[in-house]
Amino acid sequence: MHDIVIRGGTIIDGTGSAAFTGDVAIADGRIAAVGDKQGPGRREIDATGLLVTPGWVDVHTHYDGQAMWDPLLAPSCWHGVTTTMFGNCGVGFAPVKTHHRGALMDLMEGVEEIPNPVLAAGLDWDWESFPDFLDALERKPHAIDVAAQIAHLPLRVYVMGDRAVRLEPATPDDIAEMRRLTIEALRAGAFGFTTSRTDSHKTPVGDMVPSRNADADELVGIGSAIGAVGAGAFGMNSDFDDEAYELAWMTKLAKATGRPVWFLLTDRYDDPERWRRLLAAVHAARAEGASLTAQIAGRPIGVMMGIGTALNPFTLRPSYRGLDQLSIAEQRARLRDPALRRRILAEQPSPAEVSKLAQFRQLVATGWDKFFIMRDPPDYEPTRETSIAAIAAREGRKPDEVAYDYLTEADNRYLYFPTVNYAHGDHEPIREMLTDPGTLLGLSDGGAHCTSIVDAGMPSFMLAHWGRDRHRGPTLPLELLVKRQTSETAAFFRFTDRGRLAPGLRADINLIDFERLRLHQPELVHDMPAGGRRFIQRVDGYEATFVAGQAIFERGQATGAMPGRLVRAGRDGQALRAA
């Protein structure tokens, strides 16, 4: 007898094959059979009218800290994610020396907007090396599986100390030591190495992060570790200041190691054709035998702006800064004062404050045609006619007046500002990226940008928007949308035992009422250590999520089961080379 039989659901197995109706049987935490009519189970679930999919494998999150204090890893777990990987964008917490802990928390706050007080209260720092960090993760209870990559920023600070913070070049000895520690991390179970070479990543005071100016010798030298071990991927976030230079060393690294190399790709306002050039370069590199891939997002990366958020159009004005220490309710009450309203609207954004922002966010001072009202349910593909600039033109008012009055008139009001992936004012470039074989779906950024961005609901958005609700262009087949965030993400990083509904694989499964699948407007909550606040996004439509055959959520409620574990690369049939 099976442990569980899910009967009569519409099975989308993660391979891209056409959906079909049948049963899924589970035994001992694994899938025992898929399709047809299966024998009896100790528990039987009627899945008639439901989608039955693999659990989502989300490979771009920033739960490095949250995984130490939150066993659920919300909100990703609410959205059907059963495996999450962090250590992206070159930021993380290992290896670390005691006197550099504060610096790493500052870097995480500056790059991923996870407040330093939250991290200080939530991390117990019972590790120094990266293998120690993995051991610490393994000791924590988890509802879903977690995996990690080793990040360049903590590695560089660990080896080079203050020289790294001063952006000094690495010496050959520095590079050799970083390579050695990367090999050590890969052997302990890291899924790869990541770095950052972008002006969008700054410290809280506006300085560039330690890896910003790392040259090709350093990056290829460290990256050669994945070839030496024969496992792991190399990932990067880059501005591609010199595209030919960047692409040359990445292609060289991919060919020399035989391992995957990936970079983040978005559509940008200041260079709308950039993504096409870089995708063409991906295919050119692949034609030369290099495993080069562009990691993309399934929707615009959009900043949420309101009272109490990290940023809004008025936080850059001097009189607004005087409200920083007040509660959200107190701020809103003060902002409704006519005298303060007049004073703030008469001021100009501070150039010094603007300069501290990532280059994509500096448009907050002037880009009124890129601000949209966030509604419930949210519209992530709004028309230009609904922008703050367009509303102001119709009403004969200034755009900042329209924005100010909207934000202060009621609670829970936010503006949506798509910083990238909206250069053309629609999702057509994203659709083209999603259907290009040179791309990998990622960039949910779960756990990051606590009071400005919440894209952890990306998996649910992919199905609801691209599979059903899009009205400004073509939709995409559900089979493709499921494949892109299950078997494809799993296979890229060599998660060999998940990502498909097939006998013998882990029973990580979602049951989804597709017609009811609906994302809610994001909301600010205070549920982090030290009373920290963050955006969350709730969802309807998940009937159940299973991890290793145990239901962790049913009808939106946590069951209390904690079957999740730390997944270590190389422990499920991957052979590691002797370096």
Side-chain angles (χ1 to χ4, degrees):
M1 178 177 286
H2 303 299
D3 294 330
I4 300 172
V5 178
I6 301 168
R7 296 204 181 276
T10 301
I11 297 170
I12 303 180
D13 65 8
T15 66
S17 299
F20 59 96
T21 300
D23 296 350
V24 175
I26 300 171
D28 298 323
R30 302 254 167 194
I31 297 171
V34 178
D36 299 323
K37 180 75 171 177
Q38 300 302 319
R42 294 180 179 86
R43 180 184 180 188
E44 300 200 359
I45 300 171
D46 181 2
T48 304
L50 303 180
L51 300 183
V52 184
T53 76
W56 315 131
V57 180
D58 188 345
V59 296
H60 193 110
T61 75
H62 292 279
Y63 287 123
D64 311 66
Q66 191 175 332
M68 292 296 181
W69 69 72
D70 176 14
L72 290 180
L73 291 184
S76 288
C77 61
W78 303 341
H79 294 270
V81 173
T82 55
T83 303
T84 181
M85 186 162 69
F86 38 81
N88 287 287
C89 296
V91 288
F93 296 120
V96 60
K97 295 173 182 175
T98 302
H99 59 285
H100 285 142
R101 291 172 181 173
L104 295 193
M105 290 190 292
D106 285 343
L107 287 169
M108 188 65 81
E109 179 174 22
V111 174
E112 300 301 341
E113 298 178 291
I114 305 171
N116 193 309
V118 168
L119 296 170
L123 298 178
D124 52 23
W125 295 104
D126 56 342
W127 64 86
E128 176 174 330
S129 70
F130 192 86
D132 292 341
F133 174 69
L134 293 183
D135 290 344
L137 280 171
E138 198 161 42
R139 290 191 292 269
K140 302 291 184 180
H142 292 110
I144 67 176
D145 281 2
V146 299
Q149 302 159 101
I150 184 169
H152 194 183
L153 272 65
L155 180 65
R156 203 172 201 264
V157 171
Y158 186 81
V159 171
M160 296 175 59
D162 291 342
R163 290 187 294 120
V165 178
R166 293 194 298 267
L167 306 183
E168 293 183 16
T171 67
D173 286 345
D174 293 331
I175 296 170
E177 179 63 2
M178 286 188 278
R179 179 183 186 274
R180 184 189 72 80
L181 292 171
T182 300
I183 288 175
E184 177 184 76
L186 293 168
R187 291 195 174 283
F191 277 81
F193 168 90
T194 69
T195 189
S196 170
R197 285 165 52 80
T198 171
D199 289 348
S200 66
H201 288 171
K202 297 180 179 180
T203 69
V205 297
D207 295 332
M208 295 300 168
V209 298
S211 62
R212 175 60 179 92
N213 297 328
D215 61 21
D217 288 343
E218 178 176 347
L219 296 169
V220 172
I222 300 171
S224 67
I226 62 176
V229 176
F234 183 106
M236 180 179 66
N237 188 353
S238 172
D239 287 340
F240 285 88
D241 300 320
D242 184 334
E243 289 182 13
Y245 173 84
E246 209 84 302
L247 291 163
W249 72 255
M250 284 193 295
T251 301
K252 173 185 175 182
L253 177 63
K255 291 171 73 172
T257 62
R259 304 298 309 162
V261 175
W262 58 270
F263 62 90
L264 300 183
L265 179 65
T266 56
D267 180 17
R268 296 186 177 183
Y269 292 113
D270 61 351
D271 188 356
E273 294 304 311
R274 171 182 178 272
W275 70 272
R276 291 189 188 278
R277 294 195 307 273
L278 292 176
L279 260 186
V282 165
H283 291 291
R286 290 183 169 198
E288 297 178 19
S291 179
L292 187 63
T293 296
Q295 187 180 127
I296 61 169
R299 72 184 188 203
I301 308 300
V303 175
M304 300 282 297
M305 299 192 183
I307 311 303
T309 62
L311 180 68
N312 72 43
F314 309 103
T315 53
L316 305 174
R317 304 187 185 197
S319 294
Y320 195 98
R321 292 255 65 104
L323 308 179
D324 285 350
Q325 302 307 313
L326 301 179
S327 70
I328 293 175
E330 290 170 330
Q331 287 185 41
R332 185 173 290 106
R334 289 285 304 279
L335 290 166
R336 287 172 178 164
D337 175 62
L340 181 59
R341 176 184 182 276
R342 285 193 298 272
R343 188 160 66 249
I344 291 174
L345 290 176
E347 294 173 346
Q348 294 300 312
S350 162
E353 292 299 315
V354 172
S355 68
K356 294 179 183 179
L357 300 177
Q359 71 267 43
F360 307 132
R361 299 188 181 197
Q362 292 182 3
L363 283 171
V364 70
T366 57
W368 295 110
D369 60 326
K370 299 173 179 65
F371 281 91
F372 303 90
I373 291 172
M374 174 57 72
R375 304 190 186 278
D376 191 10
D379 181 2
Y380 292 100
E381 195 175 12
T383 64
R384 295 191 188 280
E385 292 74 23
T386 63
S387 72
I388 293 297
I391 294 171
R394 288 195 297 270
E395 295 181 356
R397 295 200 289 159
K398 293 181 179 179
D400 56 352
E401 293 177 353
V402 173
Y404 189 102
D405 292 343
Y406 174 76
L407 293 178
T408 57
E409 282 171 355
D411 296 345
N412 301 316
R413 287 196 167 182
Y414 305 105
L415 298 176
Y416 173 65
F417 174 54
T419 57
V420 295
N421 269 3
Y422 217 57
H424 298 276
D426 61 30
H427 288 181
E428 189 55 26
I430 301 174
R431 189 189 67 82
E432 292 187 42
M433 290 186 229
L434 283 169
T435 55
D436 191 295
T439 66
L440 178 75
L441 182 62
L443 272 174
S444 84
D445 262 5
H449 306 294
C450 296
T451 54
S452 67
I453 297 173
V454 57
D455 284 341
M458 190 85 72
S460 304
F461 170 85
M462 294 301 298
L463 267 65
H465 175 78
W466 288 108
R468 185 191 65 204
D469 295 339
R470 189 178 187 225
H471 61 274
R472 297 188 60 201
T475 56
L476 293 170
L478 284 177
E479 292 86 351
L480 172 65
L481 298 170
V482 171
K483 179 184 179 184
R484 294 241 63 177
Q485 49 196 349
T486 56
S487 67
E488 285 191 7
T489 46
F492 186 90
F493 284 98
R494 303 292 177 90
F495 290 95
T496 56
D497 62 348
R498 65 198 67 205
R500 292 173 289 122
L501 298 181
L505 299 189
R506 278 172 61 86
D508 296 348
I509 299 171
N510 283 318
L511 303 185
I512 303 170
D513 186 339
F514 184 55
E515 296 307 314
R516 287 184 55 246
L517 187 63
R518 175 182 178 271
L519 284 84
H520 292 268
Q521 174 184 303
E523 56 187 293
L524 273 177
V525 297
H526 293 75
D527 68 349
M528 294 210 293
R533 62 179 178 257
R534 61 173 179 152
F535 272 117
I536 60 170
Q537 186 170 36
R538 302 185 189 275
V539 64
D540 297 330
Y542 284 86
E543 286 294 303
T545 296
F546 293 84
V547 171
Q550 295 187 49
I552 62 166
F553 276 89
E554 296 196 50
R555 293 178 179 84
Q557 299 299 313
T559 65
M562 293 288 156
R565 62 185 176 96
L566 170 73
V567 186
R568 295 181 187 257
R571 305 297 170 93
D572 291 306
Q574 300 176 42
L576 303 183
R577 295 179 190 148

